[in-house]
Amino acid sequence: MFTETFIPHGHCYLWKPDLVGLHIVSDALIAIAYYSIPLTLIYFVQKRQDIPFNRIFLLFGAFIISCGTTHLLEIWTLWHPVYWLSGVTKLGTAAISIYTAIALVKLLPVAMAIPSAAQLEAVNDEIRERQRVEAELKQKNLALEQAKLEADLANRAKSEFLANMTHELRTPLNAILGFTELLTCNSNLTADQHEQLRIIDRSGEHLLALINDVLEMSKIEAGMAALNPNSFDLHSLIVALEEMLQLKAESKGLQFVTAIASNVPQYVQADENKLRQVLLNLLSNAIKFTAVGSVALRVTTQAQHDDSSVTAPILHFEVMDTGPGIAPHEVETLFNPFVQTEAGRRSQEGTGLGLAISHRFVEMMGGKLVVDSRLGEGTAIAFDLPVKLVAAPHNLASQSGERAIGLAPGQPTCRVLVIEDRWENRNLLVRMLRQVGFEVLEANDGQEGVLLWQNWEPHLVLMDMRMPIMDGYEATRRIKAYPKGQSTVVIAITASAFDEERAKIMATGCDDFVRKPIREALLLGKIAQHLGVRYFYGSSNQSLCSAQSHSPKPFHPPEIGQLATIEIPKHEALSAMPLLWLKQLNEAALRGDRQQIYTLLDYIPDPNSALKSTLTALVENLYLDLIVSLTQSAPYGSQCPDPGIAR
C-alpha cells in the first residue's frame, strides 16, 4: 500500500495510496460490522426460542456474513487477483439475499398482524380492567353468598315461626270446630241455636282458610308450592262458596248468583283447596269492587272433539261482575305481586297478592286466567281446568247432611287409644269416638301412652306428634319396635300444615296422617279404612249423637205411625228377594249409601214394582234405619248368584 507500484487489478483507484487506503479501511470496518451482527442474531435466537420468526433471523444472519465476506475479498484482491472467488462469493450473497427477500415478502402479512406497542398497551389495559372487574365480581359473589346464607337463615326462621304459629292457631281451632260439630247433633237445641253453631263453624273454617292462605303465600315465595289433587264434590264446593259470600253480597245490595251447567260432573279429582282459594279470591274481589248490579259465577264443561272428555273433562269457570272495570294498561300488570288497579288503590283494601296467587295456582293446575274487562261496564275473569271424573266418595251420607251415629251391629269391639297433651283436644277426640261406640282410653304424653298401649293393646292409636316428656315421634317408634306393634294402627294427629312434616311423620312408622282441626267425618273415615269398621248413618240431631252417650245404644226403628203416608213393605215381599241382595241392601243402608241403594233397587223385578216404589220412598224420606230393621228381620228366602253390584 505504501509503495508506488501496484499489482494490476480491475479496480481503478487512480493508483493513489490515499484512495486505496480509504477503501481498505472502509471495507475492513464494514466486514467487522457485518460479522458482529450475525453473532448478535444467533445469540438472540438461542435465548428466545419462543420467537416465531427464528428462521428469518438465521437467513438474515447468513446474508450479512456473505456481505461481510465480499468486502474482505475486496481488500484481498488488491494484491491477489482471485476474481473468480470474489465473483462466486458475490453470487452466493445474491442468492441468499434473494431467498431472504422472498421469505420476508411471505412473512410480511403475518408480521403486519403483530400488534403494535400501542395496541399491546391497550390490550394490557383491557386485561388490567378485566382483572379489576373480576376482582369486583368475586367480591360481589362473596357478598351474594353471604346474603343468600342470611336469606336462607331468615327463611328457615320464618318457616319455623310459621310452623309454630300455625300449630298454635290450629290447636285452639281444633277444639272450636270439633266441639261445634259435636254440639250441632244435640237434639235439645233450637233451630236458631243450630244456625248460630253453623255460623261459628263457617267462621272457624274461614279462619282456617286464612291460615292456610298465609302458608300458601309463604310456599309460593319459597318456590315450594305443589299440587295436592284429591277427590271432592264440586257442586258442594260451589254451594259452600255461595253460602259464604251471599251475606256479603246482600249487604251491598248486590245480586249474587251461581250457575252450574247440567253436564258438569259432581265428583271430580283436582286440587280442591287451590280451586276453592282461586274462586274465593275472584268472587271476593268482584263483590268488593262492585257497587251496584250483580256478581255471578258460571261453571260449564268445555266442548272437546275427542273421547277424553268422558273421563277427563275440561271445566270452564267464569266470574262476572258489573263493577267499574279495569283499564287496558292495568290488565298487563294485573297478576303481578303487590300491584293493584286504580279501583283497588282507591278502596285502600288488600295487598295486591290475591290475584297473583290465583294466577299462579291456575297455571299449576293446568289452566290460564283470561281477563275481559271494559271500563264502566264490568269485568269477566275466566279459566279452564282439566279434571278427572271419580266415583262418589264412601262418605256420601255425611256429605248429604247425614253423619255416622253408631257402629253397625255384629262387629267386634274396637279399642282406640288417644295420646294428646292438651286436655281440650283429647276430650274432643274421646267424646267423638265414644259417642259412635268405640272403647277409648286416653294418655296425656307419649310415655304414658306407650305404657297404656302395652297393657291395653288397642287396635288403633291416635297420636299427637308434639307433646312434652315424650313426643309422638319417639312414642310411635317405640310402639312399632315391638312385634305386636306392627299390627297396631297409628294415625298421627298434628297441627302442622307443611307437606315436609307429613314425610317425616310417616317415616317414623305412622300408618296415616290427620291434620288439625279434625273433622269427624274424616277421622271416622280413616278409622274405617284401617280397621274395616262399618257405621250406620242418620240426621245430625239423632239421639245417638248426644254428648251424654258414651256407648252404643240399641237401635230402634221409627214408629210406624210416623210413616202414615208410606206403605211398609211386607216381609213376604222382601223374602222373595235373594239372600245376597238383602245382605247388600242392609249394608248399604247401614253405610247411608243411598246411591248404592238406588242401584240395588233397579234389580227388583217388575212383578215386585210395589216393593221398589215403597223402598224408594223410604230412601227419599231418609228412613234408612227402617230399611236396616226390615232387612235384618226379613226371613231370608232363596239364594241366587251374586247380582254383581256391591262388590
Side-chain angles (χ1 to χ4, degrees):
M1 179 173 27
F2 298 101
T3 178
E4 293 183 1
T5 317
F6 293 93
I7 64 172
H9 57 77
H11 296 287
C12 181
Y13 295 122
L14 303 179
W15 293 273
K16 294 180 178 180
D18 295 340
L19 185 57
V20 173
L22 176 63
H23 280 273
I24 291 172
V25 172
S26 299
D27 286 332
L29 292 175
I30 291 173
I32 293 171
Y34 276 2
Y35 282 126
S36 64
I37 292 175
L39 292 175
T40 305
L41 291 176
I42 291 171
Y43 176 80
F44 177 77
V45 169
Q46 288 180 343
K47 295 298 182 180
R48 293 295 305 272
Q49 296 291 330
D50 59 314
I51 298 297
F53 313 128
N54 286 342
R55 183 167 168 272
I56 292 299
F57 288 122
L58 294 176
L59 283 175
F60 193 64
F63 162 69
I64 294 177
I65 290 174
S66 298
C67 290
T69 303
T70 59
H71 282 278
L72 289 177
L73 287 175
E74 285 293 324
I75 298 173
W76 186 257
T77 55
L78 288 176
W79 291 276
H80 304 282
V82 288
Y83 299 118
W84 282 104
L85 178 60
S86 177
V88 171
T89 302
K90 289 180 180 180
L91 181 61
T93 302
I96 294 173
S97 301
I98 293 172
Y99 186 77
T100 303
I102 293 173
L104 284 173
V105 170
K106 292 181 179 180
L107 184 64
L108 186 62
V110 180
M112 292 296 293
I114 297 176
S116 64
Q119 290 174 324
L120 289 175
E121 183 63 27
V123 171
N124 288 334
D125 291 341
E126 184 178 348
I127 292 174
R128 285 191 291 269
E129 178 64 20
R130 185 174 299 175
Q131 291 174 341
R132 185 187 65 79
V133 172
E134 288 177 353
E136 291 181 357
L137 285 175
K138 184 178 180 180
Q139 188 66 27
K140 289 180 179 179
N141 286 337
L142 291 174
L144 287 174
E145 289 178 4
Q146 181 64 27
K148 182 179 181 298
L149 179 61
E150 294 175 357
D152 290 341
L153 292 174
N155 281 333
R156 189 155 47 247
K158 182 177 72 173
S159 297
E160 292 175 359
F161 170 77
L162 287 174
N164 290 329
M165 285 304 299
T166 53
H167 182 273
E168 295 304 319
L169 290 170
R170 283 172 174 267
T171 298
L173 263 180
N174 183 56
I176 294 171
L177 293 176
F179 280 108
T180 300
E181 190 172 24
L182 288 178
L183 283 172
T184 56
C185 62
N186 190 335
S187 59
N188 296 323
L189 297 179
T190 65
D192 185 57
Q193 289 171 330
H194 276 289
E195 179 60 28
Q196 291 170 2
L197 287 173
R198 281 192 291 270
I199 293 173
I200 294 174
D201 186 72
R202 284 197 301 268
S203 300
E205 291 288 355
H206 184 58
L207 180 57
L208 177 62
L210 291 177
I211 296 171
N212 292 335
D213 289 349
V214 173
L215 286 173
E216 288 296 343
M217 193 181 307
S218 175
K219 290 179 181 179
I220 290 176
E221 291 175 350
M224 297 168 54
L227 284 178
N228 296 295
N230 63 292
S231 301
F232 64 97
D233 186 339
L234 176 62
H235 292 201
S236 295
L237 172 63
I238 302 301
V239 170
L241 288 173
E242 183 179 15
E243 291 177 349
M244 183 185 299
L245 298 172
Q246 187 70 51
L247 185 60
K248 184 177 180 181
E250 290 178 354
S251 67
K252 296 185 66 176
L254 301 176
Q255 182 183 9
F256 179 43
V257 294
T258 59
I260 305 176
S262 59
N263 60 349
V264 172
Q266 182 171 2
Y267 301 102
V268 297
Q269 185 182 76
D271 194 321
E272 179 185 9
N273 291 331
K274 287 183 175 59
L275 176 60
R276 179 191 293 109
Q277 184 169 350
V278 169
L279 293 176
L280 186 60
N281 282 341
L282 297 180
L283 290 169
S284 297
N285 280 350
I287 294 173
K288 184 196 316 184
F289 298 121
T290 302
V292 293
S294 63
V295 173
L297 168 62
R298 184 172 61 189
V299 186
T300 58
T301 301
Q302 189 182 76
Q304 299 183 69
H305 302 291
D306 52 28
D307 296 333
S308 62
S309 60
V310 176
T311 58
I314 296 179
L315 303 181
H316 180 77
F317 296 85
E318 187 172 14
V319 176
M320 299 162 287
D321 65 62
T322 57
I326 304 171
H329 69 276
E330 291 182 321
V331 173
E332 299 177 359
T333 59
L334 188 62
F335 302 125
N336 292 344
F338 304 106
V339 174
Q340 290 184 301
T341 63
E342 180 63 27
R345 290 189 291 271
R346 283 199 305 267
S347 69
Q348 297 183 351
E349 294 183 26
T351 60
L353 282 172
L355 286 178
I357 294 175
S358 300
H359 182 253
R360 176 59 180 151
F361 281 175
V362 170
E363 285 185 340
M364 290 175 63
M365 292 187 289
K368 182 180 180 181
L369 281 178
V370 179
V371 180
D372 181 16
S373 182
R374 293 186 182 132
L375 282 175
E377 296 184 14
T379 301
I381 301 181
F383 63 92
D384 295 329
L385 178 65
V387 298
K388 292 182 180 179
L389 293 181
V390 294
H394 292 301
N395 58 345
L396 176 64
S398 177
Q399 292 184 358
S400 62
E402 297 178 338
R403 63 187 300 167
I405 59 175
L407 291 170
Q411 300 182 91
T413 302
C414 291
R415 298 183 299 277
V416 179
L417 174 61
V418 177
I419 307 177
E420 162 71 65
D421 62 315
R422 291 182 179 261
W423 176 85
E424 61 273 19
N425 290 332
R426 190 170 67 250
N427 185 39
L428 169 65
L429 290 170
V430 170
R431 285 173 175 264
M432 193 180 289
L433 295 172
R434 280 179 177 166
Q435 73 177 13
V436 177
F438 293 103
E439 286 189 9
V440 185
L441 286 183
E442 55 185 291
N444 57 18
D445 61 65
Q447 183 175 332
E448 180 183 345
V450 172
L451 292 175
L452 271 177
W453 171 82
Q454 291 174 330
N455 297 325
W456 195 46
E457 296 187 7
H459 300 92
L460 183 140
V461 176
L462 296 179
M463 180 77 72
D464 184 34
M465 304 312 292
R466 294 181 61 170
M467 294 182 291
I469 304 176
M470 181 187 295
D471 61 23
Y473 299 97
E474 180 62 26
T476 301
R477 279 191 288 265
R478 294 195 182 188
I479 290 173
K480 291 295 183 177
Y482 291 91
K484 64 180 181 180
Q486 298 298 318
S487 60
T488 303
V489 177
V490 179
I491 298 180
I493 304 294
T494 178
S496 173
F498 290 97
D499 294 331
E500 298 80 8
E501 189 74 13
R502 180 188 182 100
K504 179 181 176 183
I505 289 172
M506 300 302 287
T508 63
C510 290
D511 299 280
D512 214 326
F513 176 96
V514 176
R515 285 193 176 102
K516 298 175 183 178
I518 298 171
R519 307 308 276 171
E520 183 185 59
L522 176 62
L523 178 62
L524 295 180
K526 294 281 188 182
I527 295 175
Q529 175 186 340
H530 290 283
L531 297 184
V533 298
R534 293 175 287 108
Y535 310 106
F536 60 87
Y537 295 84
S539 60
S540 61
N541 58 358
Q542 278 192 249
S543 60
L544 277 176
C545 204
S546 172
Q548 288 80 17
S549 175
H550 299 297
S551 60
K553 295 183 179 181
F555 178 76
H556 299 289
E559 296 293 334
I560 301 300
Q562 297 176 351
L563 308 175
T565 59
I566 303 176
E567 182 180 354
I568 304 303
K570 297 180 179 179
H571 290 310
E572 292 78 7
L574 285 170
S575 62
M577 298 301 297
L579 171 62
L580 187 56
W581 183 90
L582 289 168
K583 181 180 178 182
Q584 292 180 351
L585 180 61
N586 178 269
E587 291 177 350
L590 286 172
R591 293 196 308 270
D593 192 342
R594 292 182 294 173
Q595 187 64 39
Q596 182 68 18
I597 294 174
Y598 286 134
T599 304
L600 288 166
L601 296 185
D602 288 336
Y603 281 82
I604 297 177
D606 291 338
N608 290 342
S609 58
L611 174 64
K612 181 177 181 180
S613 300
T614 302
L615 292 176
T616 301
L618 291 175
V619 176
E620 290 175 348
N621 289 275
L622 300 181
Y623 288 118
L624 302 184
D625 44 6
L626 182 56
I627 295 178
V628 172
S629 177
L630 291 169
T631 52
Q632 283 177 341
S633 58
Y636 294 146
S638 62
Q639 297 193 30
C640 68
D642 183 358
I645 305 164
R647 287 293 182 192

